[in-house]
Amino acid sequence: LLKPDVACENGVIHVIDRLLWLPPRPGSGKPETYATRTGIAMVKIPAGEFLMGSPPGDIDAYEANDDEGPQVRVKLSSFSLGKTEVTRDQYNTIMHEDPSFDKLAWKVWPSSAPVQSVTWIRAAEFCNKLSEAERLRPYYDFRKIRDAEGDKEVVTVPDPAGNGYRLPTEAEWEYACRAGSAGKYCFGDDPQQLAKYAVFRKAGLPPPEGLKPRPVGYRLPNAWGLLDVHGNVHEWCQDWYGPYSTLPLGPGPLVNPRGPEKGNQKIYRGG
């Protein structure tokens, strides 16, 4: 899988945003797609276990940096995840703004392309406003504090069991991305197949076109029906960044891990 890049909580990264989370609906235990009240397609992801991190021998994993290995067995409860990255239309409908519109010198991107230039804070605000629009209890709580560096906005989670939308943890994101694959990618290890599943510069698109996000679903889905888990834009996760060496390892799998309790950087994946 791709390297779990990091970014500061309030910083803007050029192309980011993705997946939402909702408590699972009753069902068969197999991946299935349904639509929310606001029309967003969600995929119910079954509970299960997997090896988190890049497999041994992955020369692109930067394992020496201690942020993709050694692999760790993780056990997750079921959850629901957005079938696609959040589009410009979806973001604008809820937030009444489109940060993608004037951030680049290229042509205006289609409204079905994923939204970009979204900070982690704004992504969390989007989750809250979407929750309110669907009459759910918002997951995040925002408050302002003042310290030696000036005013800051702090985000807390007053009720982790709340039924509102949130960003996925890194473990949830990787589990859903892999969709049962133990290889380097969601489809296995052959990089020659990547262009079938991902929009990226080496897919044969010359710049600047080759650097522009494409409408969601431009490539093949993974085995669970999720689109653009590789390529297109980066996707925020809930966790603070921390090396694998800090994980509380024990004799059994980590159960629903949520990353460090605090930090200076938030994780994003994919892209």
Side-chain angles (χ1 to χ4, degrees):
L1 289 174
L2 303 180
K3 182 177 185 292
D5 296 310
V6 296
C8 63
E9 180 174 2
N10 292 295
V12 174
I13 300 184
H14 211 41
V15 282
I16 289 185
D17 204 14
R18 162 72 151 197
L19 303 172
L20 310 168
W21 176 92
L22 193 66
R25 295 162 25 123
S28 64
K30 298 180 180 180
E32 55 187 67
T33 301
Y34 64 94
T36 70
R37 288 180 176 175
T38 55
I40 293 179
M42 304 288 289
V43 177
K44 180 185 175 185
I45 306 298
E49 295 187 18
F50 79 113
L51 282 175
M52 180 176 172
S54 294
D58 184 352
I59 61 174
D60 297 322
Y62 302 97
E63 290 181 346
N65 290 337
D66 198 26
D67 58 7
E68 283 203 49
Q71 289 183 301
V72 178
R73 180 157 294 280
V74 171
K75 182 177 182 179
L76 294 172
S77 303
S78 64
F79 57 96
S80 291
L81 202 58
K83 183 179 179 69
T84 72
E85 295 161 326
V86 175
T87 68
R88 291 176 58 193
D89 266 353
Q90 291 168 341
Y91 189 88
N92 187 41
T93 297
I94 298 299
M95 301 294 284
H96 307 294
E97 66 179 19
D98 184 357
S100 314
F101 185 79
D102 60 353
K103 297 297 182 182
L104 299 174
W106 304 319
K107 298 176 183 178
V108 176
W109 298 341
S111 57
S112 58
V115 66
Q116 335 83 33
S117 303
V118 177
T119 66
W120 189 93
I121 290 284
R122 293 300 280 168
E125 289 176 346
F126 173 77
C127 292
N128 271 12
K129 289 187 177 183
L130 183 61
S131 297
E132 292 169 352
E134 298 193 2
R135 298 195 292 275
L136 301 171
R137 187 167 63 255
Y139 184 82
Y140 300 101
D141 182 50
F142 295 86
R143 60 187 176 89
K144 293 186 180 295
I145 63 170
R146 175 170 293 181
D147 60 15
E149 298 179 2
D151 291 336
K152 290 184 177 181
E153 191 163 31
V154 177
V155 184
T156 59
V157 179
D159 182 9
N163 65 351
Y165 290 95
R166 65 168 170 83
L167 298 167
T169 66
E170 184 187 15
E172 289 166 340
W173 188 96
E174 184 170 325
Y175 176 66
C177 173
R178 288 185 176 278
S181 171
K184 185 175 179 179
Y185 305 105
C186 70
F187 52 83
D189 293 310
D190 184 4
Q192 299 301 316
Q193 301 299 312
L194 185 58
K196 296 180 180 179
Y197 294 84
V199 172
F200 67 110
R201 178 85 175 264
K202 294 181 181 180
L205 300 171
E209 294 295 317
L211 299 177
K212 289 170 58 176
R214 286 292 186 270
V216 296
Y218 201 73
R219 297 285 192 257
L220 294 176
N222 70 6
W224 289 348
L226 296 169
L227 295 155
D228 298 304
V229 292
H230 300 306
N232 229 356
V233 302
H234 290 80
E235 303 168 8
W236 282 119
C237 292
Q238 173 70 17
D239 307 21
W240 291 108
Y241 169 75
Y244 276 33
S245 60
T246 63
L247 293 173
L249 301 179
L254 292 176
V255 179
N256 297 322
R258 295 181 177 271
E261 293 184 2
K262 57 183 179 179
N264 296 316
Q265 299 172 311
K266 289 289 188 178
I267 292 173
Y268 63 90
R269 298 294 303 266

